[in-house]
Amino acid sequence: MGGASLEREGAVGVITIDNPPVNAMSPGLPGAILARLAEAQADDAVEAVVLRGGGKGAFAGADIRSFGTPWPESEPTLRDVIPAIERSAKPVTAALAGYCLGGGLEMALSCHYRIASRKTQVGQPEVALGFPPGAGGTQRLPRLAGVETALAMIVDGTPLGAAEAAEAGILDRVIDGDLLEGAVAFAQERIAAGAPHPLARDRTPLLKDPEIFAATRERLERRARGQRAPIACLECVEVALELPFDEGVRRERAIFEECMASAESRALRHVFFAERAVRKVPGIGKETPVRAIESAAVVGAGTMGRGIATCFANAGIPVRLMDSDPLALERALAAIRSDYEGRVARGRLGAADAEARIGLIEPIESLERVAGTDLVIEAVFEEMALKEEVFRTLDSVCDEGAIIASNTSYLDVNRLAGIVPRRRGRVLGMHFFSPAQVMRLLEVVRTDSVSPETLATVLALGRRLGKIAVVAGVCHGFIGNRMLEGYTRQVGFLLEEGASPVEIDSALTGFGMAMGPCAVGDLAGLDVSWRKRKANAHLRDPSERYSAVADRLCELGRFGQKTGAGYYRYEPGSRTPIPDPEVDALIADVAAETGINRRAIGADEIVERCLYPLVNEGARILDEGIALRASDIDIVWINGYGFPRWRGGVMRWADETGLDAVHAAIARLGESQDHWEPAPLLSRLASEGKSFADVDRAA
Ligand code: 3H9
């Protein structure tokens, strides 16, 4: 619950708010602040007040955990603190350090003055939680910073650094030395200068660009399709121009409450905590030793290998990129250079930085040359025999303590660890997602024999590489790709039954997926999974339904964008999918051969049939312990497969839909189709009226 203390520094009363780790406004804290404010008002020796955060000084805003549970009736809230500050006869200065976000910034905006240490970030990130600021931020910020800056901060949720915030008029001073000393000195200056002390609420919002709302609305319609919160943020800022201050605050509050009650907000709040829970891994703690990774090597210079090498270079870690084929190596280096040049051209990176990063990648042609590196990632062709051979050689050339990781996306990493018995504690999977230098997801595949030290080292490395690392157990396809199988299987069936690639893709992008599955297949290349299907054809049960559509496309050399044709066709140099009558004819042929009567299929059926297999397999993965939590599965699908964050991920979406409804639909589909056996965990939770979140809570 935390508290607040009042100390006097001469004529300045310093209120320190203390609620570790980030001084969030939990129940009890607003009451404590009000009490200290009242004491400062009553103390004749106090002529000005400084409000600051204890610990590292952050003000993270409202306590996100408290949302959705009733606020104790007798307890004041942040919205009682804000008018009390504004009523203060003595000028109040907010002294900010670290982060000042959400309700934290709203409290600071109600103060007469704001100062901050140079590294402070100030922002209104509420949109990322599915609602606009709800304590006057949308009304005060445009009055202080101007409408354009406020709109960008509130709609996008992106914070400003202290220098920018000062320039925008949000901060009155940036302090380079000791913040408390600076704050007390600043407050004394205000005492000397005397009244009046300005309040944001008394100003008029300044609008420079009358087109800004229309332009932002148009941008949001494209970028935030299906979501309410970004538009709600825009509406609140518009209100600041249209209504007097107090009415504007009331309107903001009504919009805030409407959004807070939405499924979108519940989902986004879930993701906030899921992103933090994923870092907690049983058996790994602060005391687990972590090895320093100062150099690395990547074996195989294909698309994945070069993307992984780029990740290391981006993190400033020297990396050797090995391929025995000099041409492949040359192509990889050219692609890496072109990728960096593109970033320089788009203004994302300085030319010198790009050169420095390219300089960290050393091409090598023999496996022996990986010797001396701390970590080697094998990224060769997805074939067990080949990987085993690489592992054997690596075992003989790598340093004793080096970690060997496989970037396999499906294969048995336990078996690879068994190849190198001496170092099986230092073998695990690091499954990057393509393009590796862009995608944030990293599945860290925990073998049965991996040591806590190796796991902790790779998790820490994942963070250094800018990835969200999710621990997965060993099984075919781990978390993400194992679930993907049922999804793509239904795509094939739906095509045969009458849906076109465009209809399938539109139904799923309409749901919120970043891309539809046919367009994704064309982007990733259809030949990779074709090769896998051919290799595993003997394992398939011939009595089970199988769609040959994807195979037929590949037999025609339609591998996707790289061949100018896949589920769609592509004009040279363009990535825009164009529906292709040749594909429609091919699908109709396959359907006719299998005796399927084609029919019109609606978007709802497409969504249900593609997404319920994900939930069902997710339930098995959770039950088997392959994923540590349902929320980890959500993180995988949001960050690796374009599942909409605002729906909270696959498992959260299923919880929101109701597991009884999901279970009933799966059972119904199973009456007429193969592959719809409900997972035991799903059946159990549905019959008990429980959710995947209940499983996580009980763990
Ligand atoms: C709001 O203010 C609404 C108002 O407009 C209206 C009010 C009426 N609440 O991220 P970290 C926990 S909405 C509860 O690992 P970092 C977090 O879960 C709020 N808990 O550290 C974690 O716990 P654990 C608007 C919170 O240094 C621990 O603190 N504010 C909150 O990487 C450490 O967090 C935001 O959206 C919170 N508000 O990053 C800011 N914040 O150790 C949300 C953190 O048990 N917070 N925790 O896993 C952040 O963006 C980052 O946490 C922050 C620190 C940048 C502050």
Side-chain angles (χ1 to χ4, degrees):
M1 144 172 166
S5 59
L6 172 65
E7 273 158 295
R8 255 187 45 210
E9 298 270 347
V12 181
V14 178
I15 298 178
T16 305
I17 298 176
D18 215 12
N19 188 22
V22 291
N23 299 318
M25 285 291 159
S26 314
L29 194 54
I33 302 171
L34 281 173
R36 300 298 87 77
L37 261 178
E39 283 165 27
Q41 299 301 320
D43 185 342
D44 289 341
V46 171
E47 292 177 57
V49 176
V50 164
L51 204 56
R52 64 167 192 153
K56 289 186 187 157
F59 281 129
D63 180 351
I64 303 168
R65 272 185 212 281
S66 73
F67 295 145
T69 51
W71 188 268
E73 238 170 61
S74 56
E75 285 292 345
T77 71
L78 175 63
R79 290 188 312 127
D80 298 310
V81 173
I82 285 173
I85 293 174
E86 286 180 331
R87 278 194 306 270
S88 166
K90 304 173 182 180
V92 183
T93 299
L96 313 175
Y99 296 95
C100 179
L101 302 173
L105 181 57
E106 290 174 296
M107 182 173 69
L109 294 176
S110 71
C111 295
H112 303 89
Y113 305 101
R114 287 149 297 280
I115 63 166
S117 55
R118 190 156 297 274
K119 287 202 172 139
T120 305
Q121 304 245 313
V122 302
Q124 299 284 180
E126 288 90 337
V127 69
L129 297 167
F131 48 79
T138 66
Q139 306 304 296
R140 288 187 183 85
L141 200 53
R143 286 172 160 82
L144 270 180
V147 174
E148 290 77 6
T149 303
L151 188 66
M153 285 176 73
I154 293 168
V155 164
D156 298 327
T158 319
L160 294 187
E164 286 170 293
E167 202 172 313
I170 300 169
L171 297 179
D172 297 289
R173 184 172 295 172
V174 178
I175 304 285
D176 281 311
D178 182 81
L179 180 63
L180 180 58
E181 264 174 39
V184 170
F186 181 89
Q188 279 160 346
E189 284 172 37
R190 295 347 300 166
I191 296 169
H197 301 289
L199 285 176
R201 57 174 292 141
D202 297 332
R203 298 182 177 214
T204 306
L206 181 67
L207 174 72
K208 288 195 195 134
D209 174 8
E211 299 304 317
I212 189 73
F213 289 107
T216 307
R217 205 172 240 115
E218 203 213 329
R219 174 167 69 87
L220 293 180
E221 266 152 28
R222 271 182 285 119
R223 205 210 61 191
R225 208 169 6 99
Q227 296 170 63
R228 168 77 182 119
I231 291 284
C233 286
L234 178 141
E235 287 169 7
C236 289
V237 179
E238 258 176 337
V239 161
L241 285 172
E242 290 162 2
L243 296 181
F245 180 82
D246 288 321
E247 271 181 61
V249 168
R250 276 196 291 279
R251 182 80 194 107
E252 173 204 80
R253 186 67 190 176
I255 299 177
F256 167 86
E257 281 174 359
E258 165 221 320
C259 289
M260 175 67 80
S262 67
E264 177 181 323
S265 175
R266 281 193 295 277
L268 288 167
R269 282 180 269 145
H270 161 81
V271 176
F272 177 84
F273 290 112
E275 281 172 342
R276 284 153 182 87
V278 79
R279 303 181 206 145
K280 293 169 189 154
V281 177
I284 307 292
K286 285 205 174 77
E287 69 295 343
T288 313
V290 172
R291 288 173 61 89
I293 301 292
E294 274 151 21
S295 61
V298 179
V299 179
T303 311
M304 284 316 291
R306 66 183 189 236
I308 298 169
T310 304
C311 292
F312 280 89
N314 287 343
I317 304 172
V319 57
R320 300 178 202 166
L321 180 58
M322 185 271 155
D323 205 299
S324 52
D325 175 358
L327 265 180
L329 213 44
E330 210 175 288
R331 269 200 307 270
L333 289 174
I336 291 171
R337 174 164 287 282
S338 137
D339 189 46
Y340 276 120
E341 282 169 359
R343 291 174 64 188
V344 172
R346 289 192 298 277
R348 302 249 171 93
L349 191 68
D353 284 342
E355 282 309 321
R357 293 183 193 188
I358 292 170
L360 288 174
I361 304 176
E362 181 191 354
I364 55 171
E365 285 179 26
S366 96
L367 264 188
E368 281 67 31
R369 296 272 332 273
V370 308
T373 56
D374 298 320
L375 169 100
V376 182
I377 301 179
E378 164 281 303
V380 300
F381 225 56
E382 194 70 349
E383 266 176 30
M384 192 45 127
L386 178 60
K387 288 188 189 281
E388 285 180 348
E389 195 186 311
V390 170
F391 263 67
R392 260 184 221 107
T393 315
L394 286 177
D395 193 28
S396 63
V397 299
C398 286
D399 291 3
E400 169 91 32
I403 295 172
I404 307 183
S406 172
N407 176 51
T408 177
S409 38
Y410 285 94
L411 299 176
D412 183 349
V413 194
N414 278 334
R415 187 163 146 188
L416 289 172
I419 297 285
V420 290
R422 276 187 315 128
R423 71 167 84 229
R424 63 159 66 105
R426 291 186 299 285
V427 171
L428 80 180
M430 285 178 78
H431 179 210
F432 289 79
F433 288 71
S434 184
Q437 72 277 24
V438 175
M439 300 295 284
R440 284 193 74 205
L441 180 63
L442 173 68
E443 279 182 328
V444 175
V445 186
R446 183 179 204 163
T447 57
D448 295 343
S449 50
V450 71
S451 70
E453 177 179 321
T454 302
L455 193 58
T457 301
V458 168
L459 290 172
L461 173 68
R463 275 195 293 282
R464 225 173 128 195
L465 299 181
K467 304 292 175 197
I468 293 205
V470 181
V471 171
V474 176
C475 67
H476 186 73
F478 319 124
I479 298 174
N481 281 348
R482 174 166 159 188
M483 289 165 71
L484 189 64
E485 272 189 12
Y487 179 73
T488 42
R489 182 186 295 122
Q490 287 301 321
V491 172
F493 293 168
L494 287 161
L495 289 170
E496 288 175 349
E497 290 167 38
S500 68
V502 176
E503 284 167 342
I504 293 179
D505 283 356
S506 318
L508 287 154
T509 52
F511 171 82
M513 297 295 290
M515 283 175 83
C518 298
V520 167
D522 280 1
L523 176 68
L526 301 175
D527 50 326
V528 183
S529 43
W530 183 42
R531 222 176 296 117
K532 193 157 73 70
R533 284 195 301 278
K534 283 197 290 188
N536 294 334
H538 61 288
L539 302 174
R540 215 168 41 233
D541 177 354
S543 68
E544 278 196 342
R545 182 175 171 192
Y546 175 79
S547 167
V549 171
D551 294 350
R552 290 288 184 83
L553 289 171
C554 290
E555 283 158 20
L556 294 176
R558 300 183 70 114
F559 293 164
Q561 286 188 13
K562 60 184 165 191
T563 57
Y567 284 104
Y568 300 94
R569 67 180 185 81
Y570 299 85
E571 294 295 344
S574 162
R575 289 175 176 274
T576 308
I578 304 169
D580 189 346
E582 205 179 292
V583 174
D584 297 336
L586 179 150
I587 296 170
D589 283 350
V590 174
E593 285 161 25
T594 17
I596 292 170
N597 286 324
R598 306 191 79 220
R599 62 187 169 93
I601 301 180
D604 288 349
E605 181 179 341
I606 292 171
V607 168
E608 186 178 272
R609 281 182 54 188
C610 289
L611 299 191
Y612 285 169
L614 296 179
V615 179
N616 207 27
E617 201 58 37
R620 289 199 179 91
I621 282 171
L622 183 62
D623 212 9
E624 291 167 24
I626 295 296
L628 291 169
R629 313 166 185 89
S631 65
D632 284 10
I633 301 177
D634 290 333
I635 294 299
V636 165
W637 270 78
I638 291 169
N639 293 286
Y641 299 84
F643 197 92
R645 186 182 171 86
W646 54 275
R647 292 207 191 253
V650 173
M651 308 302 268
R652 165 69 220 172
W653 170 70
D655 275 355
E656 186 70 34
T657 307
L659 295 191
D660 49 350
V662 176
H663 181 268
I666 289 178
R668 173 174 44 77
L669 287 159
E671 285 166 15
S672 55
Q673 298 173 23
D674 288 344
H675 304 290
W676 286 106
E677 181 72 24
L681 177 65
L682 178 63
S683 302
R684 183 162 61 73
L685 294 175
S687 71
E688 292 171 359
K690 289 193 172 154
S691 63
F692 292 123
D694 290 325
V695 177
D696 282 1
R697 269 191 288 272

